[in-house]
Amino acid sequence: MRKKIIAIGATIMLIGLLLAGCGGGGETGSQASTDGTYKIKLGSPLADSHPGHDGFLKFKELVEKESNGKIKVEYFPNAVLGGDRELTEAVQMGTVTMMLSSTSPVANFDKSFYLFDLPFLFPDRETAYKVLDGPVGQKLLDNLSSQGIKGLGYWENGFRNITNSKRPIKKLEDLEGLKLRTMENKLHIAAWKQLGANPTPMAFGELFTALQQGTVDGQENPLALIVSNKFYEVQDYLTLSGHVYTPFVIMMNKDFFDSLPQDLQQVVLDAVKQAGEYQRNLIKEQESDNLKVIKNAGVEVYELPKEEKDRMRKQLKPVYDMAGDMIGDPQLVDQLVAEVEKYSK
Ligand code: KDG
């Protein structure tokens, strides 16, 4: 009997050790270890061929150097720890310390994030940067704290473009009935319905297979993701529509961030900012090469004319009207629109 109890005890201890080693539930908040160092378990849903990966390598290098080795970053790219939703939940629980997500699925955690899902909002990426790095962007980051998340900053996902394997999309009517994968976001779904498409929300991790098997006709994403996840290999047409600008938001477990001494908090914030500038530049630099990769693979490429963008914007009026209610803060929408106007002059 005694032997049996000892064996059970040893098994429980072993499971505990394994869980701790895997960054399991016991690691919530991951405060300082006994030697005063901190470990950031960093998960990225991006492929290691995406500039977001270079951004995280830069973040790791900066944080480890500037903290004089007091912070160590253990980095897991290629969605090995999960996609946007799983990683956001893991960061809330503290089983993952830090991650990146498109802002659109984050609206399921804090509805103010629907703000960036308004189609044709930003005229160019410079305006987007100014708004994101200004008071409106900061307000949204602060809103995450009620979810147990510290919002650290924004990097670039980018302007989204439509790909599909049915037909060229040159005008609004061409979208009619197109089975289009969207992010899991009510505003995106409403917008695509309003434009006549048949939106199918789906996790990003399932998308390549869905396109390959024809479960959906198409999808929409920035060029960097179309290339790094090889969607161009299973799609025939690309329309440069730039219909919405999606940022990436960098998030950290709030208890972990709060447990850092102030100087190390600043090291983390500065590294996110610096690595973000680096990542934004890489995306810009690689844009024309990405387009070449897509064209060379035999994909037909179209530029959506301005008149068609204007027609789509007009068609989307009911969606803009309902956005205020979805976001639950009409003043914030007004502030955003005013900032966009101010910066885009
Ligand atoms: O790994 C990519 C994901 O982070 C995802 O957010 C990208 O924009 C995206 C999408 O379409 O899901």
Side-chain angles (χ1 to χ4, degrees):
M1 178 68 178
R2 202 163 158 257
K3 266 191 193 157
K4 209 170 170 184
I5 290 172
I6 291 170
I8 293 171
T11 311
I12 291 172
M13 253 174 70
L14 186 66
I15 292 171
L17 282 172
L18 282 173
L19 275 178
C22 299
E27 209 178 328
T28 304
S30 6
Q31 278 85 356
S33 60
T34 43
D35 62 0
T37 61
Y38 296 81
K39 189 183 84 188
I40 291 178
K41 184 173 174 183
L42 171 62
S44 171
L46 297 168
D48 56 16
S49 50
H50 188 282
H53 175 68
D54 305 280
F56 277 136
L57 292 179
K58 174 67 78 189
F59 169 81
K60 176 176 162 62
E61 176 197 317
L62 286 168
V63 147
E64 291 181 349
K65 179 165 167 264
E66 298 302 325
S67 70
N68 295 318
K70 285 198 197 122
I71 302 179
K72 285 261 167 303
V73 179
E74 208 184 344
Y75 174 43
F76 299 87
N78 296 315
V80 290
L81 298 183
D84 290 348
R85 181 182 283 271
E86 295 85 3
L87 281 172
T88 308
E89 284 167 357
V91 161
Q92 274 187 309
M93 289 186 296
T95 51
V96 171
T97 323
M98 183 176 165
M99 54 124 7
L100 158 157
S101 170
S102 279
T103 51
S104 308
V106 178
N108 296 316
F109 295 80
D110 185 284
K111 60 188 182 177
S112 62
F113 274 82
Y114 282 122
L115 204 58
F116 300 134
D117 294 315
L118 288 167
F120 300 107
L121 173 71
F122 293 118
D124 48 57
R125 45 164 54 103
E126 281 68 33
T127 305
Y129 297 163
K130 283 182 189 146
V131 172
L132 292 166
D133 302 338
V136 170
Q138 187 57 48
K139 179 156 186 1
L140 266 61
L141 294 179
D142 294 345
N143 285 351
L144 289 171
S145 61
S146 62
Q147 298 297 318
I149 294 172
K150 170 73 186 170
L152 297 172
Y154 301 96
W155 290 5
E156 172 133 322
N157 189 353
F159 282 101
R160 306 177 78 86
N161 304 295
I162 308 161
T163 68
N164 84 101
S165 53
K166 278 273 180 254
R167 55 181 173 263
I169 306 296
K170 299 179 181 176
K171 55 182 189 312
L172 174 58
E173 288 72 14
D174 296 333
L175 288 168
E176 191 58 42
L178 194 75
K179 201 161 182 205
L180 197 72
R181 177 268 176 181
T182 67
M183 289 187 281
E184 292 161 304
N185 174 290
K186 282 190 212 148
L187 209 140
H188 280 247
I189 297 167
W192 287 112
K193 272 195 190 144
Q194 185 63 22
L195 293 175
N198 177 6
T200 309
M202 184 185 287
F204 186 81
E206 294 164 29
L207 181 51
F208 183 88
T209 310
L211 293 171
Q212 193 176 39
Q213 297 182 345
T215 319
V216 289
D217 301 324
Q219 61 89 42
E220 43 81 59
N221 254 303
L223 295 184
L225 280 175
I226 294 172
V227 170
S228 62
N229 283 81
K230 301 199 184 316
F231 299 145
Y232 64 90
E233 288 185 355
V234 285
Q235 295 280 267
D236 299 324
Y237 308 102
L238 163 69
T239 297
L240 297 168
S241 48
H243 50 274
V244 68
Y245 176 91
T246 315
F248 283 138
V249 56
I250 313 292
M251 302 188 279
M252 182 171 259
N253 175 268
K254 188 174 180 306
D255 289 343
F256 176 84
F257 184 82
D258 291 344
S259 77
L260 291 173
Q262 230 174 1
D263 60 328
L264 294 185
Q265 289 183 348
Q266 200 54 49
V267 164
V268 169
L269 289 169
D270 290 347
V272 167
K273 191 160 176 26
Q274 233 179 296
E277 280 160 17
Y278 174 71
Q279 187 265 357
R280 283 174 176 176
N281 280 332
L282 280 182
I283 293 245
K284 271 186 273 183
E285 276 167 28
Q286 292 175 9
E287 204 136 70
S288 61
D289 281 350
N290 281 337
L291 202 52
K292 270 188 213 145
V293 170
I294 295 170
K295 281 182 180 163
N296 289 344
V299 174
E300 286 180 30
V301 179
Y302 300 90
E303 177 105 38
L304 193 68
K306 174 162 180 331
E307 313 81 73
E308 283 305 315
K309 288 188 185 176
D310 290 345
R311 285 184 70 216
M312 287 185 186
R313 195 180 287 123
K314 225 168 165 188
Q315 175 85 0
L316 286 165
K317 170 95 173 60
V319 176
Y320 296 127
D321 292 345
M322 80 186 213
D325 282 345
M326 282 179 83
I327 293 160
D329 188 346
Q331 273 178 343
L332 193 60
V333 181
D334 292 346
Q335 193 184 348
L336 173 74
V337 172
E339 280 199 21
V340 170
E341 272 174 21
K342 182 172 105 189
Y343 293 131
S344 55
K345 272 178 192 154

